[in-house]
Amino acid sequence: MAIGSQQQVAEDYEQLKEVLELYPNISIVRTEGQPPANYEIEYHLRGYIKEDDNSVGIGQTHRVQLSLPFGYPHFAPIAKPLTPIFHPDFDPAAIRLADRWQQNPSLPELVLHIGEMICGLVYNLEDPFNQEAADWYKLRQDQLPLDTLSVADIEPIDIHLPDLLDDKDVVDEAEDEAEDEAEDEAKAEYKAEAEYKAGTKYTAGAEYRAEAEYKTKAEYTAEAGYKAEARDEDEVEDEDDDLFSSLRLERDCLPDGQNPADSASVHRIRTLVDENHIFTANRMMSELPEDTPFPDREEIQLRIAKVLRKSDQLFQLAEQLESTAKFGEAMEVADILQNLAADVPGVDILKARLQHAMQLAPSTAGRLGRRAATPEERASSPLSPSIKMPGKPLAWLSAFSRPIMAAILILAIAILTISLYFKDQNTLSQSQANVLKGKMLIEKKQFDQAAETLEEAKAILSDLSVLRFRKSSQEQAVDALISSTELQEGLQGRVLYQGEYIPTGDAVASEELAVLADQAQSLAGQNKIVEALGLYRQALKFATDRNLSKQQAALNEMIQSLELRQALATAEKAEQGKNWDEAASAYRKALTLSGKMMSLGTTSDITSRMTAATFRHELDQSKKAFTQSQWRDTIKYLEQAQQAIDANPSVVSDKERQDLHRLLINSRLYLMLSTAREAFQQKNWALAIDEYQNALNVLASAPGTAENLHGESVSKIEKTLLMVKIAQIQDQIVVTEGKEDPARILDRYRDIQRLIKESAYQDDSAVKNVAQKIAEKADKQQELLIQREKIAWLEEHFEEIFRANFPTFKGSKISQPKAVFLRKVGGRLVFTLTCLERSPGSSSKLELNYQFDPANGRWSTYND
């Protein structure tokens, strides 16, 4: 199926996927073609549907099929609902989209537009496809839309470090301010863009999407601002407040070599974009040096690219409308185009041409109308005015007028016959002209147009009347051309080549292949290897695409020979320039080529050179990754370099092997510390403890490979490890507190105290502060435990206590003891003990204040 530029279709597909990533309620369910020419789109939106019982309900899931027609993007996609969507612009076989496409020929915007239609944001009540739906929507306009297209939230990462002492999340106010500030800047910036868009023709749905997109953009910019400010704060933060700052894991070591900003050019570009001089801004942007500071460069470039793409689509649409004589519609598109970009090249010429065509069209139509009407007016006009005479009718006049009337009738018939003759003659001439045009198109191998022209030549013969007898011979001539072998074969994609009909592509490829092969052979003879290879590869592609197997074998042999020579020459040149990546790649390529390589150097020699080049390339890549704190990539490159020399260690020097070993250990150490930090921030205590311990083990086992991490930094890692272990126990205490187990909680606090006591940092001020608070909490749990023990003792011995203090109730039955801690007075613990006393005929509640003196371990009654 030919649907226009495959590149355009592929680009639209990629744009559609990128846009739908922002809209989680719209998804591509299925596609057909490569690139896709058919889509099945699913919308998760609230929208009216027609139920099986013919009632109207609200559905949550809807599907639509989109097909790109022949001539896309000049012609709008064809849309068909796959579910019973109830909408004024939907019928079971089609969706009204042509007008929308003329206004904005964008596939992603069209998919979003259909979503707005489904949820009731966009509908047409004046000329609906579905009158029943139009009546339904008209009565319920105040309830619409039922839903909106929601943009996916992009939430910034909010990292909260645990409060090791008070069990609360601490939110840094500076981070909040950074987020708010970045969000305000993004909102103001996006508001300016929205005001720009308000000057063009946007639908209500597009305005809604702009607002939704602002939300996403603002959040994303706020996140970026938060991260940037957070990095700045990390660089100046005190080392005791950030346990990682001393490790220098976040320091940017790259040199700053940017040129001074050309502020005038940047300001001029922004002004041009605001004034819609997009093409001029694009030219200045391309001339602006890459190192010129331009904070919103990417946003400006995206905005320019979007306008350029839409301008190209609108220009093509205007030319298409012009070619079909729709000059008024073409002029409207040209106006929209000029509003979109005021400096579109060629738009003024296009509008002048359209204006001229619109002025010529009415006068031409008038002249043609008069020429066509003249014979008919003469044939249908009255031959003579009616004559009224007073008195009796004249019989002699009636007898005299009959011959005159007959003559006039004969004359009229003759005039009509002549008129029809000339009309038929014109029809035959037009048919013969189409036949000649068809022959010319066949010669030009434009077979589809030729067939269409010949069919038109045959069809217009049905208008013949007077010269109908010539219809048969003319039809035979047309049929002979239509049924000719050349046309029929051409319609099937075959042309005459070297005495036989073959596919057109094969014929073209064979002709071009011969030309390319001759040119390539000539260049190879002049020792222009690169140019010759380019032509040979182009020739091979033609041969492969057209399945020309004989030519492929010869071309492959020539290419292999030239590539071998080129690969070895390239490798030697790259080695001289210490471009190890290119050298290794060239040697690898040489090893895969034909046996002619043996005449230029042994396999062993090339293998050794390739190994050395590969090693140095991976080592260079690892050093770049190391300076950028990309530890995993660094380790990957270093391990690949190690693998390269394992089988042949003699290809590199001892110093290079030592550098490799040292850098590999350092990279693994930094990765451990980075992983530990991330685990710490995510409260993954076990992983953080393991990684910190692994880092310390590496430092202990290989002290010579990480000189910059010894001394104070080692102590900080050990201190951090201690704090992480305390944090882990703190989390366990939180879980235990929910179960009200003071004994277990007390044990965990004592575990923390034991950790601190056994560490080398018990005299550190921060650790002392932790120890003091833990001791306070442990004492509190100890008191709570003692209180519970005393309450249990009181409830166990309540009967003997009450009978000793209330002898009058000696014969009564007492039960249901309840002890409650009141307060602590002078070191003594005061409790209230109650029970229920029952005697024959009555019951009462007994209460007694009882105290315990820890100094002597005795109980006694308590009186205020």
Side-chain angles (χ1 to χ4, degrees):
M1 176 180 178
I3 58 171
S5 169
Q6 293 296 305
Q7 182 179 0
Q8 175 73 48
V9 176
E11 290 176 354
D12 287 357
Y13 175 52
E14 295 300 324
Q15 291 177 17
L16 178 59
K17 290 194 297 182
E18 292 175 1
V19 169
L20 293 189
E21 288 178 358
L22 298 175
Y23 294 88
N25 49 3
I26 306 177
S27 58
I28 302 175
V29 178
R30 186 172 59 87
T31 61
E32 291 181 4
Q34 188 62 34
N38 293 282
Y39 297 81
E40 187 171 328
I41 310 295
E42 186 172 272
Y43 297 83
H44 293 280
L45 299 166
R46 286 170 52 83
Y48 288 124
I49 61 172
K50 205 65 177 290
E51 304 284 4
D52 294 337
D53 59 356
N54 209 34
S55 63
V56 178
I58 296 178
Q60 301 286 346
T61 303
H62 318 269
R63 286 197 179 189
V64 171
Q65 182 185 65
L66 276 179
S67 302
L68 308 187
F70 182 92
Y72 175 88
H74 301 299
F75 297 98
I78 300 171
K80 175 184 177 182
L82 301 179
T83 54
I85 301 171
F86 189 67
H87 190 277
D89 299 317
F90 285 61
D91 70 21
I95 303 174
R96 183 202 302 271
L97 296 175
D99 294 340
R100 170 68 179 182
W101 187 258
Q102 285 189 359
Q103 296 174 6
N104 187 6
S106 166
L107 185 61
E109 288 291 329
L110 189 69
V111 171
L112 298 179
H113 178 71
I114 293 174
E116 294 170 349
M117 297 170 74
I118 290 174
C119 62
L121 186 64
V122 177
Y123 51 91
N124 175 29
L125 302 179
E126 299 298 328
D127 184 21
F129 276 12
N130 186 335
Q131 187 60 50
E132 180 185 2
D135 296 338
W136 179 275
Y137 275 58
K138 187 173 183 179
L139 294 175
R140 294 165 176 79
Q141 292 186 67
D142 57 337
Q143 302 175 15
L144 298 174
L146 299 177
D147 207 343
T148 55
L149 299 185
S150 57
V151 179
D153 291 333
I154 302 176
E155 297 183 355
I157 300 174
D158 190 10
I159 300 175
H160 297 282
L161 297 178
D163 186 344
L164 303 178
L165 307 177
D166 298 326
D167 303 322
K168 294 182 180 180
D169 292 335
V170 180
V171 180
D172 193 343
E173 294 181 1
E175 293 177 355
D176 291 340
E177 293 175 0
E179 290 180 14
D180 296 338
E181 194 174 25
E183 183 176 355
D184 292 340
E185 292 177 0
K187 187 172 182 179
E189 183 178 334
Y190 199 88
K191 181 179 179 182
E193 182 177 349
E195 291 174 353
Y196 155 74
K197 290 184 175 180
T200 61
K201 296 181 179 179
Y202 274 72
T203 62
E207 292 173 353
Y208 162 75
R209 287 196 303 278
E211 181 180 355
E213 290 169 357
Y214 153 69
K215 178 182 177 183
T216 302
K217 182 174 181 182
E219 290 174 351
Y220 178 81
T221 308
E223 177 187 353
Y226 159 74
K227 291 182 177 178
E229 184 166 342
R231 284 197 301 270
D232 294 338
E233 290 174 355
D234 286 343
E235 291 178 358
V236 299
E237 191 176 10
D238 186 79
E239 291 186 349
D240 286 336
D241 295 333
D242 184 356
L243 299 175
F244 292 91
S245 61
S246 63
L247 304 183
R248 300 180 180 177
L249 299 182
E250 297 179 350
R251 182 173 298 172
D252 187 0
C253 300
L254 298 179
D256 185 6
Q258 294 182 339
N259 296 325
D262 188 352
S263 58
S265 297
V266 173
H267 176 72
R268 177 60 178 162
I269 290 172
R270 290 197 181 98
T271 302
L272 288 171
V273 171
D274 292 339
E275 295 175 353
N276 289 351
H277 291 276
I278 302 301
F279 286 80
T280 306
N282 183 52
R283 185 176 66 255
M284 289 191 65
M285 180 72 77
S286 64
E287 297 171 353
L288 195 66
E290 288 295 332
D291 58 353
T292 299
F294 199 157
D296 54 348
R297 178 193 293 267
E298 183 177 354
E299 180 182 350
I300 295 294
Q301 287 176 334
L302 289 175
R303 181 171 169 183
I304 290 175
K306 182 177 180 181
V307 174
L308 291 179
R309 183 169 58 254
K310 289 191 176 182
S311 298
D312 181 61
Q313 293 173 344
L314 290 173
F315 204 102
Q316 293 180 22
L317 177 60
E319 289 181 332
Q320 178 70 21
L321 293 170
E322 180 188 19
S323 66
T324 57
K326 297 180 180 179
F327 305 118
E329 297 178 17
M331 181 62 77
E332 292 180 3
V333 174
D335 290 337
I336 295 173
L337 172 60
Q338 203 162 34
N339 288 334
L340 185 63
D343 58 342
V344 178
V347 69
D348 292 331
I349 298 175
L350 172 63
K351 293 180 70 174
R353 190 169 66 243
L354 291 172
Q355 186 66 34
H356 183 66
M358 292 170 65
Q359 291 173 354
L360 290 178
S363 60
T364 302
R367 289 196 300 272
L368 292 176
R370 287 195 296 273
R371 285 200 300 271
T374 300
E376 295 177 3
E377 289 174 357
R378 291 199 300 268
S380 62
S381 62
L383 298 177
S384 61
S386 59
I387 301 174
K388 293 185 179 181
M389 299 286 294
K392 297 181 180 179
L394 301 176
W396 63 270
L397 183 59
S398 177
F400 175 77
S401 64
R402 287 193 188 99
I404 297 176
M405 295 298 293
I408 292 174
L409 180 60
I410 293 172
L411 179 60
I413 292 172
I415 292 173
L416 179 60
T417 302
I418 293 172
S419 175
L420 292 175
Y421 171 81
F422 282 112
K423 181 179 74 68
D424 286 357
Q425 189 63 42
N426 183 56
T427 300
L428 285 171
S429 298
Q430 187 176 353
S431 177
Q432 292 168 355
N434 282 354
V435 170
L436 293 175
K437 183 179 178 181
K439 290 179 179 179
M440 179 186 67
L441 291 172
I442 291 173
E443 293 174 357
K444 292 182 178 180
K445 295 181 174 54
Q446 298 176 4
F447 300 108
D448 291 334
Q449 297 179 24
E452 183 179 350
T453 302
L454 292 173
E455 289 293 346
E456 183 180 351
K458 185 177 179 180
I460 62 179
L461 293 175
S462 61
D463 295 335
L464 292 176
S465 53
V466 176
L467 299 181
R468 194 171 186 81
F469 63 91
R470 296 179 59 182
K471 177 182 179 182
S472 177
S473 60
Q474 182 67 13
E475 281 183 338
Q476 290 176 3
V478 176
D479 288 337
L481 277 176
I482 292 175
S483 60
S484 64
T485 304
E486 186 175 4
L487 178 58
Q488 292 301 317
E489 292 287 346
L491 290 174
Q492 297 179 29
R494 293 190 290 269
V495 295
L496 186 64
Y497 182 79
Q498 295 183 352
E500 63 175 341
Y501 284 97
I502 63 173
T504 303
D506 289 355
V508 173
S510 297
E511 293 175 357
E512 294 187 4
L513 184 62
V515 174
L516 291 173
D518 290 343
Q519 294 176 351
Q521 186 176 4
S522 175
L523 291 171
Q526 301 171 29
N527 202 30
K528 296 181 179 179
I529 305 302
V530 176
E531 294 85 349
L533 273 174
L535 288 178
Y536 271 126
R537 286 168 183 154
Q538 188 176 351
L540 180 61
K541 183 178 184 303
F542 273 109
T544 303
D545 291 344
R546 298 299 183 269
N547 198 24
L548 304 175
S549 56
K550 294 180 180 179
Q551 292 91 330
Q552 288 181 47
L555 291 170
N556 271 319
E557 184 177 353
M558 291 301 301
I559 290 173
Q560 189 179 44
S561 176
L562 291 175
E563 284 182 339
L564 178 61
R565 292 168 54 188
Q566 184 190 38
L568 293 174
T570 301
E572 292 176 0
K573 183 177 179 180
E575 277 191 319
Q576 293 174 0
K578 295 186 178 182
N579 188 343
W580 309 117
D581 184 18
E582 185 179 351
S585 177
Y587 280 127
R588 282 194 295 270
K589 183 177 181 181
L591 286 174
T592 62
L593 296 175
S594 70
K596 291 184 178 180
M597 177 183 61
M598 300 303 296
S599 63
L600 300 173
T602 63
T603 305
S604 163
D605 181 50
I606 294 178
T607 302
S608 297
R609 292 185 179 186
M610 183 188 69
T611 301
T614 301
F615 169 82
R616 293 184 176 97
H617 166 253
E618 299 296 344
L619 193 61
D620 285 349
Q621 291 295 103
S622 67
K623 290 178 180 178
K624 292 178 182 177
F626 187 87
T627 59
Q628 298 172 5
S629 302
Q630 298 175 355
W631 315 121
R632 296 186 188 277
D633 290 343
T634 304
I635 294 171
K636 179 188 72 174
Y637 291 130
L638 291 172
E639 289 177 345
Q640 290 173 354
Q642 185 65 55
Q643 291 173 3
I645 63 172
D646 281 345
N648 195 359
S650 62
V651 299
V652 298
S653 66
D654 292 339
K655 183 180 183 304
E656 287 176 318
R657 284 196 298 272
Q658 292 173 2
D659 289 344
L660 170 65
H661 180 67
R662 184 182 300 107
L663 191 58
L664 183 57
I665 291 181
N666 280 337
S667 301
R668 288 172 177 167
L669 180 62
Y670 283 123
L671 178 60
M672 292 173 190
L673 295 174
S674 177
T675 304
R677 179 184 185 184
E678 292 177 2
F680 180 82
Q681 292 173 339
Q682 298 170 6
K683 298 185 180 181
N684 188 345
W685 313 120
L687 178 59
I689 291 171
D690 289 343
E691 292 299 327
Y692 279 127
Q693 189 60 58
N694 290 338
L696 291 173
N697 293 339
V698 169
L699 289 172
S701 62
T705 60
E707 303 89 347
N708 59 327
L709 288 178
H710 271 270
E712 183 182 0
S713 295
V714 173
S715 65
K716 284 190 174 292
I717 295 175
E718 292 175 343
K719 179 181 173 182
T720 301
L721 178 59
L722 173 63
M723 301 301 281
V724 173
K725 290 180 179 179
I726 293 174
Q728 184 183 35
I729 298 176
Q730 283 285 81
D731 271 2
Q732 296 173 356
I733 290 175
V734 171
V735 175
T736 308
E737 283 179 342
K739 299 179 181 178
E740 297 184 354
D741 188 352
R744 180 62 177 166
I745 294 173
L746 182 60
D747 289 342
R748 303 311 293 156
Y749 281 129
R750 287 173 177 169
D751 288 342
I752 295 176
Q753 291 174 325
R754 191 179 306 110
L755 274 176
I756 295 175
K757 185 176 181 181
E758 293 174 355
S759 74
Y761 302 97
Q762 54 183 325
D763 294 331
D764 181 86
S765 59
V767 177
K768 276 185 175 181
N769 187 31
V770 173
Q772 180 181 353
K773 292 191 176 184
I774 293 299
E776 293 173 357
K777 292 186 176 184
D779 292 343
K780 184 177 180 181
Q781 292 297 322
Q782 180 67 45
E783 289 184 2
L784 182 61
L785 186 61
I786 292 174
Q787 292 171 11
R788 291 194 176 190
E789 290 176 354
K790 299 311 176 185
I791 287 173
W793 187 89
L794 287 173
E795 291 179 348
E796 181 181 356
H797 298 84
F798 81 100
E799 187 171 356
E800 58 185 90
I801 293 172
F802 275 108
R803 295 198 185 282
N805 288 278
F806 296 94
T808 57
F809 296 103
K810 186 175 182 180
S812 302
K813 183 178 180 180
I814 57 177
S815 61
Q816 299 182 18
K818 179 66 176 179
V820 178
F821 174 74
L822 287 180
R823 57 185 172 275
K824 192 173 183 180
V825 179
R828 293 169 295 170
L829 304 179
V830 180
F831 299 85
T832 296
L833 179 63
T834 62
C835 70
L836 183 65
E837 179 270 333
R838 288 193 180 98
S839 58
S842 66
S843 63
S844 60
K845 182 179 180 181
L846 303 180
E847 182 176 308
L848 177 68
N849 289 337
Y850 222 53
Q851 63 180 353
F852 177 77
D853 189 352
N856 53 28
R858 295 180 180 178
W859 288 94
S860 62
T861 58
Y862 173 78
N863 296 315
D864 291 336

